[in-house]
Amino acid sequence: MIPALQVPGRWGVPERDFADAMAHAEASAFLARESEYMDSRRFSEWAELVDESFRYLVPVPVTPDNPLSPPFDPECLLLDESKASMIQLWFRRYEKGMYEIAWGENPPVRLRHFVTNVRVRGTDDENVYDVRSNVLLIGVRQGDAPAFLSAERFDLVRRTDTGLRLLRRIAILDETLLAFPQVRAML
Amino acid sequence: MSLIETAPRFAVSRRIYNDENIHHAELERIFRRSWLFVAHESEIAEPGDYVTRRLGIDRVIVTRDEEGGIRVLLNSCRHRGTRLCRADRGNTSHFRCSYHGWTYANSGELRGVTFQPEVYGRDFDKSRFSLFSPPHVDIFQGLVFACWDPEAPSLLEYLGPMAWYLTTVLGKFDDGVELIGVPARTLIHANWKSESENLSGDGYHTPVTHATAFELGLFATKSDLELLGEVSGPRFTGRTADCGNGHTMRIQRLPLNTPRPAFHGYPEELWEQIERNLTPAQVEVQSCLSVGHGTVFPNFSFLENFKTSVDGPGRHARYIRITLRYPLSATLTEVVWFGLRPRGASEEWQRLSRLGYLRTNGPAGMFEVDDLENFVSISQAHEGNVSRDFDFTLEGGLHGQAAPAALGWPGDVVDGDRTERTIRAFLLRWHDLMEGNPSQSQSVTVSHGR
Ligand code: FES
Ligand SMILES: [Fe+2]
């Protein structure tokens, strides 16, 4: 298994109890801000919320042959991005002088995140939280009907002097046959 | 008019990207006749391993039986037709139907009938009810193909010279290649042919469709090239090979002079294997490869790509990808994406190669986002009643094509890769089959001098 995909509480890995209500309120506000920046394509502000070591991982979803196995392939990824790769290969395509030739982003797929069921737990590092949430992502390409992707997110969030920072995001997709205008999306 | 005219000009009906009647005819005349890729051998390495796929649109189980043989079985119970296997993959020696419990060995033979003496009598002959399966299944370079047509030629005959080119991609490592995990699957609102044609060898779209990839450093820049060797010219050079039966390939080379073959993007410890396992002419295909891709008619494509700075400046890698398309309707296609890796390469290099694949030509890669928009919009533009009555032209590369000096490459090879000759070859094969002429065509020569 790709080590990063071994998340506590799932597939045999033990987990901690919930953190307090204050931590939940803080984490929820952080996730809401992060989605706001992404959905409104305020990418430079989004990047400020993200740690330099950020990794974004989405494993390939699979229908396994038994209910005990995870619904993804633990060795195989669909998305594997860093902060640098997102800035260079995703966000720069929206810049002036670039978007005219970035055919897939012009017009852009309109994205809307609906983030719920935020759960916060501590980790071995007292400054790092294990923050989980459910996400429903709606994508609208041009005049097409909206498309949906739902996933469970496993984030690590670090407390710093200047606020919370996203360290890592794993998104476990519910759908195995991906019917979304672009699979290239931050869940 | 006929759907494709070759004279006085090469014209193709726009109807073929958005017409359900044509789609139904394709299922019968093309997908029932052609050899179709179903799986990579490494997915079903052990007895009992299986994956579920489609042949055309028909659901099948691809499994390795207890004797080690590969079986392709229609995923439908012989009793009342229930789908037998619901998972994407697994391991089992038997498939048991969820409806009345008929049980089949993974060779396809019916082994158990629930309450048989009471319901069907003791003399019920189970041997009459093996799972349906295509008459031909064969493997080439780890690729499992199957064909429903009892009259079909052998897989090797069907592939013709394409087998030689597939070997350059898949047959160059001592321990072969394997699939990374499971394939990803996407559903796209496009006709299945659009991507087959594009990957058949369309080097013409790259500078425009993928313009940002040049801007963002994914194509070797002059300074990247200078670090790799002696730069031989300003432009990447390309060739296309027409292998007959609708199979074609495009090979683009980095503009480098090298004293000996160089396989940039692979770790140097693999270079010696590549030279040893390929013939000198095949090494020539691989050396300084920028990109190689092709389509095995109708719905299988492969791509081997060298991309630069995929994980920061100077971090270059090659990767190999297979895509397979299920033609669900005239405007709906399921794409199955297989990332492959050489067995025995270091973890560190594998990670870089995987990042290269995922960020460029993976299902969420930058190239795919731009390509997909084209494919979807072709089908959408032909929702129109009138627009479908027109045709489009496909004459790129018909003038002044030069065959390269003797290279020893099989098939009909032409210099230059900004051409539509591979798409013509694909569509001419398509047309032959649609017109009910299944005969094996040799390398298509219509593209010469017409
Ligand atoms: S349908 Fe399969 S046993 Fe009846
Ligand atoms: Fe492309």
Side-chain angles (χ1 to χ4, degrees), chain A residues 89-106:
Chain A
L89 301 179
W90 294 39
F91 303 154
R92 286 199 53 203
R93 279 164 53 94
Y94 293 88
E95 287 173 1
K96 268 215 169 65
M98 191 75 81
Y99 70 73
E100 294 87 344
I101 52 169
W103 306 101
E105 328 292 8
N106 187 18

PDB file of all heavy atoms in Angstrom, chain A residues 89-106:
ATOM      1  N   LEU A  89       1.368  23.655 -13.202  1.00  0.00           N
ATOM      2  CA  LEU A  89       0.649  22.950 -14.269  1.00  0.00           C
ATOM      3  C   LEU A  89      -0.867  23.146 -14.225  1.00  0.00           C
ATOM      4  O   LEU A  89      -1.548  22.833 -15.189  1.00  0.00           O
ATOM      5  CB  LEU A  89       0.986  21.456 -14.241  1.00  0.00           C
ATOM      6  CG  LEU A  89       2.481  21.120 -14.412  1.00  0.00           C
ATOM      7  CD1 LEU A  89       2.705  19.612 -14.352  1.00  0.00           C
ATOM      8  CD2 LEU A  89       3.032  21.683 -15.719  1.00  0.00           C
ATOM      9  N   TRP A  90      -1.404  23.669 -13.134  1.00  0.00           N
ATOM     10  CA  TRP A  90      -2.854  23.916 -13.081  1.00  0.00           C
ATOM     11  C   TRP A  90      -3.134  25.419 -13.149  1.00  0.00           C
ATOM     12  O   TRP A  90      -3.770  25.903 -14.070  1.00  0.00           O
ATOM     13  CB  TRP A  90      -3.469  23.379 -11.781  1.00  0.00           C
ATOM     14  CG  TRP A  90      -3.464  21.889 -11.592  1.00  0.00           C
ATOM     15  CD1 TRP A  90      -2.483  21.008 -11.932  1.00  0.00           C
ATOM     16  CD2 TRP A  90      -4.513  21.113 -10.987  1.00  0.00           C
ATOM     17  NE1 TRP A  90      -2.843  19.737 -11.566  1.00  0.00           N
ATOM     18  CE2 TRP A  90      -4.076  19.765 -10.979  1.00  0.00           C
ATOM     19  CE3 TRP A  90      -5.753  21.411 -10.417  1.00  0.00           C
ATOM     20  CZ2 TRP A  90      -4.855  18.729 -10.447  1.00  0.00           C
ATOM     21  CZ3 TRP A  90      -6.523  20.383  -9.880  1.00  0.00           C
ATOM     22  CH2 TRP A  90      -6.084  19.057  -9.905  1.00  0.00           C
ATOM     23  N   PHE A  91      -2.640  26.150 -12.139  1.00  0.00           N
ATOM     24  CA  PHE A  91      -3.087  27.541 -11.979  1.00  0.00           C
ATOM     25  C   PHE A  91      -2.549  28.458 -13.072  1.00  0.00           C
ATOM     26  O   PHE A  91      -3.232  29.386 -13.487  1.00  0.00           O
ATOM     27  CB  PHE A  91      -2.687  28.081 -10.601  1.00  0.00           C
ATOM     28  CG  PHE A  91      -3.216  27.259  -9.455  1.00  0.00           C
ATOM     29  CD1 PHE A  91      -2.565  27.249  -8.227  1.00  0.00           C
ATOM     30  CD2 PHE A  91      -4.375  26.490  -9.604  1.00  0.00           C
ATOM     31  CE1 PHE A  91      -3.054  26.485  -7.167  1.00  0.00           C
ATOM     32  CE2 PHE A  91      -4.860  25.719  -8.550  1.00  0.00           C
ATOM     33  CZ  PHE A  91      -4.189  25.723  -7.325  1.00  0.00           C
ATOM     34  N   ARG A  92      -1.328  28.196 -13.518  1.00  0.00           N
ATOM     35  CA  ARG A  92      -0.766  29.101 -14.527  1.00  0.00           C
ATOM     36  C   ARG A  92      -1.580  29.094 -15.811  1.00  0.00           C
ATOM     37  O   ARG A  92      -1.532  30.033 -16.596  1.00  0.00           O
ATOM     38  CB  ARG A  92       0.698  28.737 -14.819  1.00  0.00           C
ATOM     39  CG  ARG A  92       1.632  29.156 -13.684  1.00  0.00           C
ATOM     40  CD  ARG A  92       3.068  29.226 -14.148  1.00  0.00           C
ATOM     41  NE  ARG A  92       3.216  30.064 -15.330  1.00  0.00           N
ATOM     42  CZ  ARG A  92       4.226  29.956 -16.182  1.00  0.00           C
ATOM     43  NH1 ARG A  92       5.163  29.052 -15.994  1.00  0.00           N
ATOM     44  NH2 ARG A  92       4.305  30.747 -17.222  1.00  0.00           N
ATOM     45  N   ARG A  93      -2.342  28.049 -16.028  1.00  0.00           N
ATOM     46  CA  ARG A  93      -3.160  27.982 -17.246  1.00  0.00           C
ATOM     47  C   ARG A  93      -4.299  29.006 -17.246  1.00  0.00           C
ATOM     48  O   ARG A  93      -4.925  29.242 -18.270  1.00  0.00           O
ATOM     49  CB  ARG A  93      -3.710  26.564 -17.434  1.00  0.00           C
ATOM     50  CG  ARG A  93      -2.659  25.648 -18.057  1.00  0.00           C
ATOM     51  CD  ARG A  93      -2.983  24.189 -17.910  1.00  0.00           C
ATOM     52  NE  ARG A  93      -4.302  23.792 -18.372  1.00  0.00           N
ATOM     53  CZ  ARG A  93      -4.578  23.327 -19.594  1.00  0.00           C
ATOM     54  NH1 ARG A  93      -3.630  23.242 -20.518  1.00  0.00           N
ATOM     55  NH2 ARG A  93      -5.804  22.940 -19.917  1.00  0.00           N
ATOM     56  N   TYR A  94      -4.583  29.583 -16.095  1.00  0.00           N
ATOM     57  CA  TYR A  94      -5.646  30.599 -16.030  1.00  0.00           C
ATOM     58  C   TYR A  94      -5.099  32.015 -16.158  1.00  0.00           C
ATOM     59  O   TYR A  94      -5.854  32.975 -16.116  1.00  0.00           O
ATOM     60  CB  TYR A  94      -6.417  30.478 -14.708  1.00  0.00           C
ATOM     61  CG  TYR A  94      -7.221  29.207 -14.582  1.00  0.00           C
ATOM     62  CD1 TYR A  94      -6.650  28.057 -14.065  1.00  0.00           C
ATOM     63  CD2 TYR A  94      -8.558  29.168 -14.987  1.00  0.00           C
ATOM     64  CE1 TYR A  94      -7.379  26.891 -13.939  1.00  0.00           C
ATOM     65  CE2 TYR A  94      -9.296  28.009 -14.864  1.00  0.00           C
ATOM     66  CZ  TYR A  94      -8.703  26.866 -14.338  1.00  0.00           C
ATOM     67  OH  TYR A  94      -9.433  25.717 -14.220  1.00  0.00           O
ATOM     68  N   GLU A  95      -3.773  32.133 -16.271  1.00  0.00           N
ATOM     69  CA  GLU A  95      -3.198  33.477 -16.319  1.00  0.00           C
ATOM     70  C   GLU A  95      -3.492  34.154 -17.652  1.00  0.00           C
ATOM     71  O   GLU A  95      -3.679  33.494 -18.668  1.00  0.00           O
ATOM     72  CB  GLU A  95      -1.664  33.391 -16.141  1.00  0.00           C
ATOM     73  CG  GLU A  95      -1.256  33.062 -14.732  1.00  0.00           C
ATOM     74  CD  GLU A  95       0.251  32.811 -14.607  1.00  0.00           C
ATOM     75  OE1 GLU A  95       0.975  32.918 -15.615  1.00  0.00           O
ATOM     76  OE2 GLU A  95       0.669  32.481 -13.482  1.00  0.00           O
ATOM     77  N   LYS A  96      -3.466  35.472 -17.610  1.00  0.00           N
ATOM     78  CA  LYS A  96      -3.583  36.242 -18.862  1.00  0.00           C
ATOM     79  C   LYS A  96      -2.439  35.851 -19.774  1.00  0.00           C
ATOM     80  O   LYS A  96      -1.316  35.660 -19.337  1.00  0.00           O
ATOM     81  CB  LYS A  96      -3.466  37.745 -18.549  1.00  0.00           C
ATOM     82  CG  LYS A  96      -4.761  38.430 -18.297  1.00  0.00           C
ATOM     83  CD  LYS A  96      -4.698  39.875 -18.854  1.00  0.00           C
ATOM     84  CE  LYS A  96      -6.063  40.535 -18.867  1.00  0.00           C
ATOM     85  NZ  LYS A  96      -6.588  40.722 -17.501  1.00  0.00           N
ATOM     86  N   GLY A  97      -2.733  35.740 -21.056  1.00  0.00           N
ATOM     87  CA  GLY A  97      -1.686  35.334 -21.993  1.00  0.00           C
ATOM     88  C   GLY A  97      -1.580  33.827 -22.096  1.00  0.00           C
ATOM     89  O   GLY A  97      -0.951  33.305 -22.998  1.00  0.00           O
ATOM     90  N   MET A  98      -2.176  33.131 -21.157  1.00  0.00           N
ATOM     91  CA  MET A  98      -2.119  31.665 -21.189  1.00  0.00           C
ATOM     92  C   MET A  98      -3.505  31.082 -21.446  1.00  0.00           C
ATOM     93  O   MET A  98      -3.654  30.119 -22.188  1.00  0.00           O
ATOM     94  CB  MET A  98      -1.566  31.157 -19.862  1.00  0.00           C
ATOM     95  CG  MET A  98      -1.203  29.692 -19.843  1.00  0.00           C
ATOM     96  SD  MET A  98       0.321  29.292 -20.719  1.00  0.00           S
ATOM     97  CE  MET A  98       1.530  29.726 -19.468  1.00  0.00           C
ATOM     98  N   TYR A  99      -4.540  31.666 -20.834  1.00  0.00           N
ATOM     99  CA  TYR A  99      -5.842  31.006 -20.926  1.00  0.00           C
ATOM    100  C   TYR A  99      -6.392  30.963 -22.347  1.00  0.00           C
ATOM    101  O   TYR A  99      -7.182  30.098 -22.680  1.00  0.00           O
ATOM    102  CB  TYR A  99      -6.860  31.591 -19.931  1.00  0.00           C
ATOM    103  CG  TYR A  99      -7.350  32.993 -20.198  1.00  0.00           C
ATOM    104  CD1 TYR A  99      -8.244  33.242 -21.235  1.00  0.00           C
ATOM    105  CD2 TYR A  99      -6.962  34.052 -19.387  1.00  0.00           C
ATOM    106  CE1 TYR A  99      -8.719  34.532 -21.470  1.00  0.00           C
ATOM    107  CE2 TYR A  99      -7.423  35.332 -19.608  1.00  0.00           C
ATOM    108  CZ  TYR A  99      -8.295  35.574 -20.649  1.00  0.00           C
ATOM    109  OH  TYR A  99      -8.760  36.833 -20.876  1.00  0.00           O
ATOM    110  N   GLU A 100      -5.903  31.874 -23.192  1.00  0.00           N
ATOM    111  CA  GLU A 100      -6.370  31.853 -24.582  1.00  0.00           C
ATOM    112  C   GLU A 100      -5.979  30.556 -25.282  1.00  0.00           C
ATOM    113  O   GLU A 100      -6.581  30.184 -26.281  1.00  0.00           O
ATOM    114  CB  GLU A 100      -5.791  33.034 -25.374  1.00  0.00           C
ATOM    115  CG  GLU A 100      -6.267  34.403 -24.926  1.00  0.00           C
ATOM    116  CD  GLU A 100      -5.423  34.997 -23.807  1.00  0.00           C
ATOM    117  OE1 GLU A 100      -4.661  34.251 -23.171  1.00  0.00           O
ATOM    118  OE2 GLU A 100      -5.538  36.206 -23.563  1.00  0.00           O
ATOM    119  N   ILE A 101      -4.928  29.900 -24.796  1.00  0.00           N
ATOM    120  CA  ILE A 101      -4.494  28.658 -25.434  1.00  0.00           C
ATOM    121  C   ILE A 101      -4.671  27.445 -24.515  1.00  0.00           C
ATOM    122  O   ILE A 101      -4.274  26.345 -24.858  1.00  0.00           O
ATOM    123  CB  ILE A 101      -3.017  28.752 -25.894  1.00  0.00           C
ATOM    124  CG1 ILE A 101      -2.108  29.219 -24.752  1.00  0.00           C
ATOM    125  CG2 ILE A 101      -2.897  29.674 -27.106  1.00  0.00           C
ATOM    126  CD1 ILE A 101      -0.628  29.100 -25.038  1.00  0.00           C
ATOM    127  N   ALA A 102      -5.258  27.670 -23.333  1.00  0.00           N
ATOM    128  CA  ALA A 102      -5.519  26.554 -22.411  1.00  0.00           C
ATOM    129  C   ALA A 102      -6.952  26.099 -22.667  1.00  0.00           C
ATOM    130  O   ALA A 102      -7.871  26.439 -21.923  1.00  0.00           O
ATOM    131  CB  ALA A 102      -5.316  26.993 -20.962  1.00  0.00           C
ATOM    132  N   TRP A 103      -7.125  25.318 -23.722  1.00  0.00           N
ATOM    133  CA  TRP A 103      -8.466  25.057 -24.256  1.00  0.00           C
ATOM    134  C   TRP A 103      -9.396  24.412 -23.244  1.00  0.00           C
ATOM    135  O   TRP A 103     -10.589  24.668 -23.240  1.00  0.00           O
ATOM    136  CB  TRP A 103      -8.351  24.181 -25.502  1.00  0.00           C
ATOM    137  CG  TRP A 103      -7.427  24.781 -26.508  1.00  0.00           C
ATOM    138  CD1 TRP A 103      -6.124  24.428 -26.740  1.00  0.00           C
ATOM    139  CD2 TRP A 103      -7.707  25.881 -27.386  1.00  0.00           C
ATOM    140  NE1 TRP A 103      -5.583  25.232 -27.712  1.00  0.00           N
ATOM    141  CE2 TRP A 103      -6.524  26.126 -28.141  1.00  0.00           C
ATOM    142  CE3 TRP A 103      -8.834  26.666 -27.622  1.00  0.00           C
ATOM    143  CZ2 TRP A 103      -6.443  27.129 -29.097  1.00  0.00           C
ATOM    144  CZ3 TRP A 103      -8.742  27.659 -28.579  1.00  0.00           C
ATOM    145  CH2 TRP A 103      -7.565  27.886 -29.302  1.00  0.00           C
ATOM    146  N   GLY A 104      -8.848  23.581 -22.392  1.00  0.00           N
ATOM    147  CA  GLY A 104      -9.686  22.875 -21.423  1.00  0.00           C
ATOM    148  C   GLY A 104     -10.195  23.780 -20.308  1.00  0.00           C
ATOM    149  O   GLY A 104     -11.140  23.436 -19.603  1.00  0.00           O
ATOM    150  N   GLU A 105      -9.576  24.960 -20.125  1.00  0.00           N
ATOM    151  CA  GLU A 105      -9.986  25.846 -19.026  1.00  0.00           C
ATOM    152  C   GLU A 105     -10.736  27.062 -19.543  1.00  0.00           C
ATOM    153  O   GLU A 105     -10.993  27.992 -18.789  1.00  0.00           O
ATOM    154  CB  GLU A 105      -8.778  26.347 -18.220  1.00  0.00           C
ATOM    155  CG  GLU A 105      -7.596  25.430 -18.110  1.00  0.00           C
ATOM    156  CD  GLU A 105      -7.873  24.194 -17.298  1.00  0.00           C
ATOM    157  OE1 GLU A 105      -9.033  23.961 -16.930  1.00  0.00           O
ATOM    158  OE2 GLU A 105      -6.918  23.438 -17.049  1.00  0.00           O
ATOM    159  N   ASN A 106     -11.040  27.089 -20.804  1.00  0.00           N
ATOM    160  CA  ASN A 106     -11.630  28.288 -21.361  1.00  0.00           C
ATOM    161  C   ASN A 106     -12.722  27.934 -22.354  1.00  0.00           C
ATOM    162  O   ASN A 106     -12.428  27.587 -23.476  1.00  0.00           O
ATOM    163  CB  ASN A 106     -10.537  29.130 -22.046  1.00  0.00           C
ATOM    164  CG  ASN A 106     -11.070  30.472 -22.504  1.00  0.00           C
ATOM    165  OD1 ASN A 106     -12.103  30.917 -22.049  1.00  0.00           O
ATOM    166  ND2 ASN A 106     -10.353  31.095 -23.426  1.00  0.00           N
TER     167      ASN A 106
END
